[in-house]
Amino acid sequence: MVDVLNLINGRHVPADDTLDLISPATGKVYGTVPRTISASDAIMAAHDAASSWRATPVRERSRLMHALADAIESDLLAFSEAESIDNGKPVELARTVDIPRAVANLRWFASSILEFENEHYETGSRAVNDVLHVPVGVIGAISPWNLPLYLFTWKIAPALATGNTVVAKPSELTPVTAWMLGKLAQDVRFPPGVLNIVHGLGPEVGQSIVDDTRVGAVTFTGGTATGRHIAESMAASFRKVSLEMGGKNPTIIFEDADLEPSISTAAAAAFANQGEICLCGERLLVHEDIYEQVVEGLCRQAAALKIGDPLESETQFGALVSSEHRDRVEAMIQRARDEGGQVIQGGSRPDGLPDHCRDGFFLEPTVITGLDMTARTNQEEIFGPVVCVIPFSTEAEAVELANATDYGLSAAIFTSDADRAARVAPAIEAGTVWVNCWLVRDFRVPFGGVKNSGLGREGGDDALRFCTEARTICTATKTMKGSAQGAVPS
Ligand code: NAD
């Protein structure tokens, strides 16, 4: 049994009530997580620690973050197993992607903060302008269950690096690795109150973070409805909010694409992490000349995925995160049938699982055809292992179909024609467009979505700017004694 605790002011403490933790692979209770109602104590601790953390030399903040990254890396296997048990993802995926990426998030922001400098401008002979990047104060970080530690660190790392204290709330479904990170933060001696982690339900403890005006900004990753509600909650007090939300991402394969690698990448985009990645390609747009070949290849790849106990190293496809989420995805598959679609691969709970996984929340990778863009199946995010294949005949039609949803997070296009790529990629309404690849990420580039997929950008300097306020000091030259050029020491 695992009993997760809140981290408040440098101490691990329980809440009055708890929620059960259920393993997606077995369906069994394996621990508890605090059901915290209010984050007020954590916000108070963060508020009290803010001025000394802000005054801590940037090199020391960076050193502590590197120490935390090193400590997580040393516990790679324990973190990978915990992430797999909590989320249902293959342990091998957690070991090779999620946990290394969490380590990299901490390291990248710990290093980049050393280069993130105040700006200095000489304004003719009259004045100098200094732009200071001042920490917001207390930042609320709210993260989802699909990439638990990866996205948790993606949010806390820039906030801590820029000198903010943090109140973080991981998903109530997958809290264990954030709790483990909190213990390591204590081991490497993060000062009390700098990183606080509270657990519980979104509408309870999550909402209490959002509503508290001592929290200067909230960085949120999760569903669009929740993001909209958070933005509305914060609008009246004009506090900053960054929203990374859902997607209905198109993968587009043109007739001139190198087919085998395109199909493999499209299958990965549909089914990686059981389709539970915001960047998954739920809509596969295929030129009519290669439609049959692509559908056949996609189904072959889906059928070949090894489904099983996520803790087995050969498993490629694990369990969905919860019973409720699997019910939801199954209902969407049924709705696709009702809309006239054909489920040509998967669509059912798999046979042949080991005995201890019989009550787990497994669902086969699923391919659907026969639905156009007017179907709700092609408009609403499923967030599971389901891809709908749609034929097109012209480049213009492909772009039109790609843009025909309320979402705009990402897209992937496959073509061997550089001119076509140069026409199509910029025409797609999305925060990221991959050409002949998928999920290649660079820390320096902005990440986020347009339309219902997001507000603002994270990653790189965008994240550092979100976590700070620009304060400009304009000083008339030659009006003071002393050697400095402006009011701000360089
Ligand atoms: P969710 O919106 O239900 O929950 C996300 C987080 O918000 C959780 O920690 C939850 O407890 C909290 N929350 C819920 N209600 C809240 C409230 N009223 N106030 C404050 N916090 C609240 O999302 P989810 O089901 O955990 O995650 C799946 C969604 O996340 C999908 O839509 C997926 O596309 C999206 N997602 C987006 C990105 C991205 O980068 N754009 C990345 C991963 C996941």
Side-chain angles (χ1 to χ4, degrees):
M1 290 288 283
V2 175
D3 292 312
V4 171
L5 296 172
N6 287 332
L7 175 60
I8 299 176
N9 205 19
R11 289 179 50 238
H12 270 105
V13 290
D16 291 340
D17 199 2
T18 58
L19 303 161
D20 284 341
L21 276 177
I22 297 171
S23 156
T26 64
K28 305 271 185 301
V29 173
Y30 77 101
T32 63
V33 57
R35 180 177 178 176
T36 317
I37 303 300
S38 164
S40 188
D41 290 352
I43 296 169
M44 174 68 79
H47 192 257
D48 289 350
S51 55
S52 63
W53 183 243
R54 169 190 300 214
T56 300
V58 64
R59 291 204 167 273
E60 173 61 6
R61 298 202 300 260
S62 172
R63 186 194 67 76
L64 280 167
M65 290 177 64
H66 277 296
L68 180 57
D70 293 347
I72 296 171
E73 194 172 50
S74 305
D75 267 355
L76 174 66
L77 293 184
F79 269 90
S80 306
E81 283 188 8
E83 199 78 313
S84 173
I85 293 169
D86 229 16
N87 169 274
K89 69 176 66 215
V91 68
E92 204 46 24
L93 186 66
R95 192 183 68 78
T96 55
V97 178
D98 291 72
I99 309 304
R101 174 57 195 243
V103 169
N105 284 340
L106 288 163
R107 284 193 181 137
W108 194 83
F109 284 108
S111 298
S112 68
I113 192 61
L114 301 176
E115 313 283 314
F116 185 60
E117 290 175 347
N118 294 330
E119 295 153 57
H120 177 83
Y121 303 103
E122 298 196 5
T123 308
S125 57
R126 296 186 55 206
V128 291
N129 275 288
D130 290 285
V131 183
L132 312 186
H133 298 292
V134 182
V136 167
V138 179
I139 290 191
I142 299 175
S143 51
W145 48 257
N146 64 319
L147 307 172
L149 197 69
Y150 178 143
L151 290 173
F152 182 84
T153 49
W154 178 243
K155 306 210 152 283
I156 66 165
L160 293 170
T162 43
N164 296 279
T165 55
V166 172
V167 178
K169 194 203 93 60
S171 169
E172 58 277 18
L173 296 176
T174 53
V176 172
T177 48
W179 168 65
M180 291 167 67
L181 176 149
K183 290 200 283 185
L184 294 181
Q186 286 179 300
D187 291 351
V188 303
R189 302 196 182 285
F190 261 79
V194 168
L195 174 62
N196 304 275
I197 306 173
V198 287
H199 300 275
L201 300 173
E204 296 178 349
V205 69
Q207 187 71 43
S208 78
I209 295 172
V210 166
D211 287 343
D212 197 313
T213 51
R214 290 172 296 180
V215 176
V218 168
T219 165
F220 166 81
T221 298
T224 297
T226 313
R228 179 176 288 119
H229 175 77
I230 289 174
E232 286 168 359
S233 302
M234 295 181 68
S237 52
F238 302 113
R239 285 170 298 140
K240 289 213 259 191
V241 61
S242 168
L243 304 173
E244 302 290 349
M245 304 184 288
K248 191 70 188 171
N249 312 306
T251 304
I252 310 176
I253 308 184
F254 288 99
E255 67 280 16
D256 55 29
D258 188 357
L259 266 198
E260 278 312 310
S262 306
I263 294 169
S264 296
T265 311
F271 303 127
N273 203 47
Q274 299 74 241
E276 295 169 334
I277 304 179
C278 55
L279 303 164
C280 276
E282 292 190 1
R283 295 180 296 141
L284 178 54
L285 311 179
V286 183
H287 190 273
E288 58 192 8
D289 289 355
I290 52 167
Y291 181 81
E292 297 301 333
Q293 257 174 294
V294 171
V295 168
E296 189 270 326
L298 182 70
C299 291
R300 198 167 8 91
Q301 300 234 0
L305 283 170
K306 184 165 173 10
I307 307 178
D309 182 348
L311 284 175
E312 296 289 335
S313 59
E314 317 82 62
T315 296
Q316 297 169 313
F317 190 93
L320 271 60
V321 74
S322 68
S323 170
E324 293 74 20
H325 186 55
R326 181 177 62 175
D327 288 350
R328 193 178 148 270
V329 175
E330 286 180 326
M332 288 182 146
I333 295 172
Q334 183 53 47
R335 187 180 65 191
R337 290 191 174 99
D338 297 342
E339 289 186 303
Q342 287 93 49
V343 177
I344 59 166
Q345 177 67 42
S348 306
R349 300 179 181 190
D351 296 325
L353 293 166
D355 280 351
H356 65 281
C357 291
R358 291 263 159 81
D359 296 327
F361 315 131
F362 293 86
L363 185 63
E364 293 171 330
T366 299
V367 179
I368 297 173
T369 57
L371 291 175
D372 66 19
M373 279 305 302
T374 60
R376 284 177 65 194
T377 304
N378 283 326
Q379 290 292 334
E380 294 176 18
E381 184 184 44
I382 298 172
F383 212 55
V386 181
V387 59
C388 199
V389 197
I390 307 164
F392 67 84
S393 55
T394 66
E395 188 181 295
E397 186 190 3
V399 171
E400 191 184 324
L401 293 174
N403 290 338
T405 74
D406 291 335
Y407 291 102
L409 188 56
S410 69
I413 65 176
F414 293 87
T415 176
S416 56
D417 180 343
D419 293 333
R420 167 172 273 161
R423 283 190 302 273
V424 172
I428 294 183
E429 297 162 358
T432 301
V433 179
W434 283 288
V435 180
N436 295 330
C437 59
W438 177 70
L439 209 59
V440 179
R441 299 276 292 112
D442 184 315
F443 281 103
R444 293 164 297 186
V445 304
F447 177 81
V450 299
K451 302 197 280 190
N452 283 356
S453 289
L455 182 71
R457 292 290 180 275
E458 298 189 350
D461 278 0
D462 290 76
L464 300 176
R465 285 181 192 279
F466 173 77
C467 295
T468 52
E469 294 287 1
R471 183 174 298 161
T472 299
I473 300 175
C474 179
T475 310
T477 43
K478 300 187 189 127
T479 55
M480 291 184 292
K481 298 195 175 97
S483 58
Q485 292 291 300
V488 179
S490 53

